[in-house]
Amino acid sequence: MLNFLKTYQQELLITFIALVLLFIFQSLLKSFTTKAGNKASINIARIHLVMRYINALFIMVAVFIIAMVWGANVNQIVLIFSSVFTVIGIGLFAIWSILSNVTSGVIMFFSFPYKIGDKIKIHDKDFPIEAIIEDIKAFQLHLRTTEGELITYPNNLILQKPVSLVEKDAVMDDGVSNL
């Protein structure tokens, strides 16, 4: 064990420093995301969803850095990452709408002007909707019409259609609509 520590002392030290720095940067980014979400009154579940995306990103970066520190060839690492992302890309191409909705969900986390409880109108010539935002999920919005009908509306479409605010906070604290 001592022989291992002595032989790989530099690699162990660099790995430790890199992981500590990544952890600090990840914590700062999570703190920023939480503050931005709380400032914009975003649902805690959506904040946690974005945190999972941040965790996945930092895990990939950590694996890349550790592989570099321990002597993996850059060409080998690039080949592995590009192969993995190619397979994932081909798989996601078949289900591109899911990726589109997740990406739209992240965009909406930071810039969507409407909140849960707001009554909105989606100006779609084929299927106009006027409803209260009941929940904002990773893939879709849950909208409740005045008739009580639940509509799940894809996140990517909500960013493509004109939307107007009909009434701010249309749902009271006890869950009963002000309509």
Side-chain angles (χ1 to χ4, degrees), residues 8 12 17-18 42 52 61-62 67 83-84 89 91 93 96 115 118 121 128 139 145 148 154 156 160-162 172 177:
Y8 296 106
L12 289 169
I17 292 170
I42 294 175
R52 281 189 232 139
V61 170
S83 298
V84 168
F93 180 74
W96 66 269
K115 307 290 178 242
D118 290 351
K121 182 174 185 179
F139 300 104
T145 65
N156 62 346
Q160 297 175 13
K161 305 286 182 185
M172 298 185 327
S177 173

Side-chain angles (χ1 to χ4, degrees), residues 117 132 134 144 167 169-179:
I132 296 173
E134 197 169 88
R144 183 75 60 184
E167 184 180 349
D169 295 323
V171 175
M172 298 185 327
D173 291 335
D174 60 359
V176 178
S177 173
N178 287 336
L179 306 174

Side-chain angles (χ1 to χ4, degrees), residues 72-114:
N73 188 342
V74 175
N75 293 336
Q76 293 171 340
I77 295 172
V78 170
L79 178 65
I80 290 171
F81 272 92
S82 64
S83 298
V84 168
F85 285 121
T86 299
V87 170
I88 291 171
I90 290 170
L92 290 178
F93 180 74
I95 50 173
W96 66 269
S97 64
I98 292 175
L99 181 61
S100 173
N101 283 319
V102 169
T103 304
S104 298
V106 171
I107 292 169
M108 288 170 50
F109 178 81
F110 290 105
S111 65
F112 194 57
Y114 311 112

Side-chain angles (χ1 to χ4, degrees), residues 12-103:
L12 289 169
L13 181 63
I14 293 171
T15 300
F16 177 74
I17 292 170
L19 290 176
V20 168
L21 290 175
L22 279 173
F23 179 75
I24 291 169
F25 187 64
Q26 179 186 21
S27 298
L28 291 173
L29 190 57
K30 283 183 170 183
S31 175
F32 168 76
T33 303
T34 303
K35 287 179 184 176
N38 290 336
K39 183 178 179 184
S41 300
I42 294 175
N43 186 321
I44 192 73
R46 290 185 62 214
I47 294 171
H48 287 285
L49 179 67
V50 172
M51 298 278 192
R52 281 189 232 139
Y53 296 149
I54 291 170
N55 285 338
L57 173 69
F58 276 94
I59 288 171
M60 288 188 292
V61 170
V63 167
F64 182 77
I65 289 173
I66 290 170
M68 295 291 298
V69 167
W70 286 88
N73 188 342
V74 175
N75 293 336
Q76 293 171 340
I77 295 172
V78 170
L79 178 65
I80 290 171
F81 272 92
S82 64
S83 298
V84 168
F85 285 121
T86 299
V87 170
I88 291 171
I90 290 170
L92 290 178
F93 180 74
I95 50 173
W96 66 269
S97 64
I98 292 175
L99 181 61
S100 173
N101 283 319
V102 169
T103 304

